[in-house]
Amino acid sequence: MTEEPGRRERKKAATRRHIADTAREMFLERGFDAVGIREIAAAADVAVTTLFSHFPSKEALAFDEGQKREDRLVQAVTGRGAEQTIPDALREHFRAVVEDFARPAAVTFWRLVDDSPALREYASTMWQRHEDALTTVIAADLGLPKSSTTCRAFSHYVLGVYPLAREAPDPMAAVDEIFDLITPGWIEIDVSGFHGAARTGPEPYHGAESS
Amino acid sequence: MTEEPGRRERKKAATRRHIADTAREMFLERGFDAVGIREIAAAADVAVTTLFSHFPSKEALAFDEGQKREDRLVQAVTGRGAEQTIPDALREHFRAVVEDFARPAAVTFWRLVDDSPALREYASTMWQRHEDALTTVIAADLGLPKSSTTCRAFSHYVLGVYPLAREAPDPMAAVDEIFDLITPGWIEIDVSGFHGAARTGPEPYHGAESS
DNA sequence: TGTGAAAAGCTAACCGTTAGCGTTATGGTT
DNA sequence: AACCATAACGCTAACGGTTAGCTTTTCACA
């Protein structure tokens, strides 16, 4: 599956990387809104249609690692230690994310985002998608239906750390504050399983899906 | 202030209503994405520029009562009874919202929204704006800074009921479930004031705003 | 070497939105 | 009663992101 990619796929990946790099440079230099798609395509020496065959939108050019971010989030839940609860795993994950946000490259990137309404909105819809992914993986882990209100509420609450951690004066403290509010008392009200450790063999939910 | 509007403002309001009505009809008949702005303007017999002088975007044509919704939400906090806590006031508010969602007109409207990615995204950014408004009003009510992590986390959590209440099989139960999770134990960890009643004279926060 | 498919390209548009500028109607002021 | 500032509306033309339709190039594999 992940064998030698072959020349074709290597070239494709190279084109993709070249477009993204060119765009990022231009964005950082002149701002997201001040750079047009046609300009980027010209600068990268590709056709506009080629650009859109690699990226679904202009915003996706700037936010390239979005999928990786989501994968890491899901991984934090599925790949947690056998003795670790879901909230603890997520706290650990977000502490790492916050450290990542502090990197100089990340700082300049997020400044770029803050300067563009289009990018800000794209970011918040990205958190939304992450929320869906987190709900799915937690529900699967606990053997609950994806539509479980508690699962959704929990994921929604947790994903709130993204914007908070970016805007708080002390992001790491904000993360801890958020997770400290998830007391056993809160969670145990409805889903005692949340504080259980990782399952060895998850029992998938087989409830009703549609009428 | 709210005196006789005068012929000018009456005509303006009439134009606005006429545009919105025309658009809503067309949307319901053919779907949001299948109707173009130029078509709507032609059907309402106004210029495209006139349309955009009344509504900031195509989506705003469908989502007309967005601002009213936000006002009611804020009102639920500021206008709550002297003996009512913020969570209780919000629970009551959202129970009413859920009943509103059940109206036949609302049902068809939200079906329209669900069928259009553009409208769905617009809705979620609307919840976002509501979140900001709720944070502001709660922070003011409690005399905390707007940037208070707990305030923001709380507002974020609460606003999660909008999508949940729309998608849950039993919306009313979902609302109660969400608010039942807000235990005194949870809130008291950080903001004991959340469970206090309405203030008679709020003491505004005077802390540091920048650097 | 030939063949089929993926990748890249070109042209020309569509669609939401806005800028620039002119026209008319209205409300308040002299 | 004449007048003017301005709000409301209209027209034209464009901008910028995105896509459809179709051709050309590049590669994998026989």
Side-chain angles (χ1 to χ4, degrees):
Chain A
M1 218 178 260
T2 13
E3 294 298 326
E4 293 289 316
R7 183 170 298 126
R8 177 170 262 162
E9 306 197 17
R10 263 183 290 127
K11 285 207 170 183
K12 179 171 182 175
T15 304
R16 185 196 155 91
R17 217 173 307 122
H18 179 231
I19 295 173
D21 290 347
T22 309
R24 293 283 279 271
E25 254 178 61
M26 297 175 80
F27 289 156
L28 289 174
E29 207 162 309
R30 298 163 46 193
F32 184 78
D33 299 314
V35 182
I37 282 286
R38 292 166 179 84
E39 287 180 90
I40 299 171
D45 199 32
V46 295
V48 175
T49 40
T50 302
L51 189 156
F52 276 105
S53 76
H54 284 279
F55 300 91
S57 69
K58 185 188 177 187
E59 287 80 13
L61 276 171
F63 266 102
D64 201 6
E65 349 63 17
Q67 190 54 47
K68 284 181 209 154
R69 201 193 321 275
E70 184 169 307
D71 291 344
R72 277 199 299 270
L73 173 64
V74 169
Q75 178 62 23
V77 173
T78 58
R80 70 188 195 277
E83 298 301 319
Q84 199 172 32
T85 68
I86 290 178
D88 285 344
L90 287 171
R91 183 198 292 253
E92 189 178 315
H93 170 74
F94 280 108
R95 290 182 64 97
V97 166
V98 160
E99 279 179 0
D100 194 81
F101 281 173
R103 283 173 30 240
V107 170
T108 50
F109 171 70
W110 286 106
R111 179 155 35 233
L112 183 70
V113 173
D114 288 330
D115 285 345
S116 160
L119 277 185
R120 263 181 282 138
E121 191 168 318
Y122 189 80
S124 74
T125 72
M126 191 189 303
W127 310 146
Q128 188 73 39
R129 281 197 300 277
H130 292 358
E131 189 181 316
D132 294 341
L134 185 59
T135 302
T136 303
V137 71
I138 289 182
D141 191 280
L142 296 177
L144 291 168
K146 249 189 326 203
S147 59
S148 154
T149 299
T150 312
C151 272
R152 293 195 53 181
F154 178 76
S155 300
H156 176 74
Y157 173 77
V158 166
L159 265 294
V161 290
Y162 272 124
L164 266 172
R166 287 219 315 105
E167 293 163 28
D170 183 347
M172 192 65 83
V175 169
D176 282 331
E177 201 170 333
I178 295 289
F179 281 96
D180 284 343
L181 290 177
I182 304 174
T183 66
W186 181 46
I187 296 298
E188 277 171 5
I189 290 176
D190 268 69
V191 186
S192 52
F194 269 42
H195 277 271
R199 293 174 161 242
T200 48
E203 302 159 10
Y205 176 79
H206 290 300
E209 291 261 325
S210 59
S211 66
Chain B
M1 217 181 261
T2 14
E3 297 295 328
E4 293 288 315
R7 183 170 301 127
R8 179 174 263 166
E9 306 196 18
R10 264 184 288 126
K11 283 203 173 183
K12 178 172 181 174
T15 304
R16 184 195 155 91
R17 217 173 308 121
H18 178 230
I19 295 173
D21 290 347
T22 310
R24 292 282 280 270
E25 254 179 62
M26 297 175 80
F27 289 156
L28 289 174
E29 207 162 310
R30 298 163 45 195
F32 184 78
D33 299 314
V35 182
I37 282 288
R38 290 165 179 83
E39 286 180 90
I40 299 172
D45 200 31
V46 294
V48 175
T49 41
T50 301
L51 190 155
F52 275 106
S53 77
H54 285 279
F55 301 90
S57 70
K58 183 186 178 187
E59 288 80 14
L61 275 171
F63 266 102
D64 204 4
E65 347 65 17
Q67 190 55 47
K68 285 182 208 151
R69 201 194 319 275
E70 183 169 309
D71 291 344
R72 277 198 298 270
L73 172 64
V74 169
Q75 178 62 22
V77 173
T78 59
R80 71 190 194 276
E83 298 301 320
Q84 200 172 31
T85 68
I86 291 178
D88 285 345
L90 287 171
R91 183 199 293 253
E92 190 179 314
H93 170 74
F94 279 109
R95 290 181 65 96
V97 166
V98 159
E99 278 178 0
D100 194 82
F101 281 175
R103 284 171 31 239
V107 170
T108 50
F109 171 69
W110 286 106
R111 180 158 31 233
L112 183 70
V113 174
D114 288 331
D115 285 345
S116 160
L119 278 184
R120 264 181 281 138
E121 191 168 318
Y122 188 80
S124 74
T125 72
M126 189 189 303
W127 309 147
Q128 188 73 39
R129 281 196 300 277
H130 293 358
E131 189 181 316
D132 293 343
L134 185 60
T135 303
T136 303
V137 70
I138 289 182
D141 191 280
L142 297 178
L144 291 169
K146 249 189 329 205
S147 59
S148 153
T149 299
T150 313
C151 273
R152 294 193 53 179
F154 178 78
S155 300
H156 176 76
Y157 174 76
V158 167
L159 264 293
V161 290
Y162 272 125
L164 266 172
R166 286 218 316 104
E167 293 164 27
D170 184 347
M172 193 64 84
V175 169
D176 282 330
E177 200 170 335
I178 295 288
F179 280 95
D180 285 343
L181 290 177
I182 304 175
T183 65
W186 180 47
I187 296 297
E188 277 169 6
I189 291 176
D190 269 68
V191 187
S192 53
F194 268 41
H195 277 271
R199 290 174 163 245
T200 49
E203 304 157 8
Y205 175 80
H206 292 299
E209 289 262 326
S210 58
S211 74

